[in-house]
Amino acid sequence: EDAILELLDDADHVVRGEAVEALAKCASPASREAIEHARYDSSEMVRLAATRSLHQHAAFSNWRQALADPRD
C-alpha cells in the first residue's frame, strides 16, 4: 500500500489515476484519506477516479450494513 501511495505524487496523471483505482481496493484509513485528497488533483482524470472510488466504497459499506446480521 505504501508504494501505491507514493505513486499519487507521480508527474504522470495516468499513473496517479491508476494509483487511486488500486487504493480503492484497500480498506485502510490511509488509503481512504489519500483518495479523498485525490479529489483535488490537478488532473480531471484523477479527480474522476477518486470520485468513482469513493462512491464504490460507500456502496460497498451500504451493502455490508444491509447484509449484517444484527446478532453480531
Side-chain angles (χ1 to χ4, degrees):
E1 183 178 327
D2 290 337
I4 299 170
L5 288 168
E6 289 178 21
L7 294 174
L8 293 173
D9 293 326
D10 198 276
D12 187 338
H13 71 280
V14 175
V15 172
R16 295 193 311 273
E18 291 296 322
V20 168
E21 296 285 342
L23 288 172
K25 295 168 179 53
C26 301
S28 74
S31 63
R32 170 113 178 150
E33 183 178 321
I35 295 169
E36 291 273 356
H37 182 68
R39 293 183 338 170
Y40 305 100
D41 192 273
S42 61
S43 167
E44 182 179 7
M45 182 190 135
V46 176
R47 294 191 305 266
L48 290 173
T51 300
R52 273 194 314 273
S53 296
L54 291 170
H55 284 289
Q56 289 172 352
H57 187 269
F60 176 74
S61 294
N62 289 342
W63 273 107
R64 207 161 104 195
Q65 288 175 356
L67 297 174
D69 189 336
R71 297 171 286 182
D72 288 340

